[in-house]
Amino acid sequence: MLLSRATPALRASSRQFAGAGAPKKEPSNWGMIFSVAGVAGLAAYAYINRTEAQKKKAAAALPAIPGLDPKEWTPLTLEEVKKYNHNSHTFKFDFEGDDKDQKTAGLSVAGCILVRSPTGEGQVNDDKGKPVIRPYTPVSAHDARGHIELLIKEYPTGKLTPWLSSLKPGDKVLFKGPMKKYQYQAGNFDRGVFVAGGSGITPAYQLIDYALENPQDKTKFTLLYANVEEEDILLREKWDKLAKAHPDRLQVVYFLDKPPANWNGESGYVSKDKIQKYFPAKKDGEKVMAFVCGPPPQVAAVAGPKDGMKQGDVGGAFKDLGLTSEEVFKF
């Protein structure tokens, strides 16, 4: 009714508006904006990563700088903690300073470093009130720059390992070293056997991995590695990979006290007979070397006990197999 009274011009205008529908929207630029932003973000990400890679490459071309001191404690920052199995973790510690990418632990093969808690509140002490100090063999390459990686098994009754397991990224830990243990040189012997138990596997990995990465080194190795259960085996993925890559130079045999069903490895302890099975007696003119690292009872049974910090006399299975003090090293 109201519309019929409207003027002709108004009615025409109304019909035109109704027939045309809603006013047309201007095309949006947000899609293009987000697209450009995404490309820019990817470009920035690639640039940052390329820059970091270039930095590391440039640092690697510079001379290595000793990151540790064998006489003084050096703080390193915990960068990352990863759970390895039910009672072990991998810890990555970064060196400090603008030149940290050039710094190394300065390890010889085989060598270790000393670890302790920082001085002051929270310091981990022994029963005599002195700081607890423990030696560890890094699982990172001996010449790795910028960081040190440790694979540490926590012992419920231990002094230092429960504290280490409580650390978070950003926490500080004190290091000293490196400490030389055994000086490996390619060609010093033809065949080597390494008997390891539990966390005593780390010096075996440092030494054997170092030897295998040298194509000029022809030394052959046998690893006899003992644990309680299958889940306790440390660095298994690395050992299996090394054995597959070097079938002519490395044989790995796992021993378990409590093997699961269908276990393909050995059961029980590493005995004289088992060593002889996988590491036959030396031939005339052949040079051999035997190593052991593990709990004191295992070391004593395989090679005789150590005499404090000294090697001690050769005993146990190695002595029964006719090996001499020049052919045995106890870590």
Side-chain angles (χ1 to χ4, degrees), residues 2 23 56 69 76 96 110 114 121 139 141 157 164 167 170 219 232-234 251-252 268 292 309 312 319:
L2 292 174
K56 290 182 178 179
D69 189 319
L76 270 67
E96 300 182 345
L114 301 180
E121 185 178 355
V139 293
T157 58
L164 286 169
L167 297 179
T219 310
D232 296 320
I233 300 175
L234 301 177
Q251 179 185 30
V252 178
V292 60
M309 298 298 291
K319 180 179 180 181

Side-chain angles (χ1 to χ4, degrees), residues 97-296:
D98 295 337
D99 55 358
K100 67 178 184 179
D101 289 336
Q102 289 175 250
K103 292 181 178 179
T104 76
L107 289 164
S108 59
V109 178
C112 68
I113 53 179
L114 301 180
V115 177
R116 58 158 290 187
S117 60
T119 303
E121 185 178 355
Q123 176 176 297
V124 181
N125 295 328
D126 60 19
D127 297 336
K128 297 181 180 179
K130 295 182 179 181
V132 177
I133 300 171
R134 293 288 184 267
Y136 289 105
T137 302
V139 293
S140 46
H142 75 286
D143 56 353
R145 297 193 181 196
H147 69 278
I148 295 173
E149 288 185 24
L150 301 177
L151 176 57
I152 299 177
K153 181 176 181 179
E154 180 181 350
Y155 294 92
T157 58
K159 293 285 188 180
L160 193 65
T161 54
W163 174 77
L164 286 169
S165 296
S166 72
L167 297 179
K168 300 292 187 296
D171 290 339
K172 305 287 185 180
V173 176
L174 299 181
F175 290 78
K176 183 188 284 188
M179 309 298 175
K180 186 170 70 174
K181 300 290 286 184
Y182 173 83
Q183 187 61 58
Y184 176 79
Q185 290 183 341
N188 271 9
F189 51 90
D190 303 302
R191 287 189 297 128
V193 61
F194 206 122
V195 178
S199 57
I201 193 64
T202 51
Y205 179 71
Q206 184 190 77
L207 192 155
I208 296 175
D209 179 59
Y210 173 80
L212 293 179
E213 72 180 8
N214 180 4
Q216 305 303 318
D217 191 343
K218 305 303 180 183
T219 310
K220 297 181 179 182
F221 290 92
T222 298
L223 172 68
L224 308 179
Y225 183 26
N227 285 281
V228 178
E229 299 182 277
E230 189 171 13
E231 64 180 351
D232 296 320
I233 300 175
L234 301 177
L235 301 175
R236 185 174 186 175
E237 69 286 352
K238 294 183 180 295
W239 286 118
D240 291 346
K241 185 177 179 180
L242 285 175
K244 185 177 180 180
H246 305 277
D248 58 329
R249 293 187 59 197
L250 175 62
Q251 179 185 30
V252 178
V253 184
Y254 300 115
F255 288 71
L256 295 180
D257 293 347
K258 301 177 181 179
N262 302 318
W263 171 244
N264 294 322
E266 291 283 354
S267 302
Y269 301 113
V270 181
S271 63
K272 168 190 170 183
D273 292 340
K274 293 296 175 64
I275 295 174
Q276 200 167 28
K277 176 181 176 181
Y278 296 103
F279 191 74
K282 63 180 179 181
K283 301 174 183 177
D284 291 340
E286 186 181 36
K287 294 181 181 179
V288 299
M289 191 71 194
F291 304 91
V292 60
C293 185

Side-chain angles (χ1 to χ4, degrees), residues 41-107:
L42 289 172
Y45 177 80
Y47 174 77
I48 291 171
N49 278 275
R50 185 169 62 249
T51 302
E52 288 300 317
Q54 289 172 343
K55 277 182 172 181
K56 290 182 178 179
K57 186 176 180 180
L62 295 172
I65 299 174
L68 301 180
D69 189 319
K71 296 183 179 180
E72 301 291 337
W73 292 101
T74 302
L76 270 67
T77 304
L78 179 60
E79 171 67 20
E80 185 179 43
V81 182
K82 288 183 179 180
K83 184 176 181 179
Y84 186 87
N85 64 6
H86 63 106
N87 62 2
S88 302
H89 291 80
T90 301
F91 297 81
K92 181 182 178 183
F93 295 94
D94 280 359
F95 289 105
E96 300 182 345
D98 295 337
D99 55 358
K100 67 178 184 179
D101 289 336
Q102 289 175 250
K103 292 181 178 179
T104 76
L107 289 164

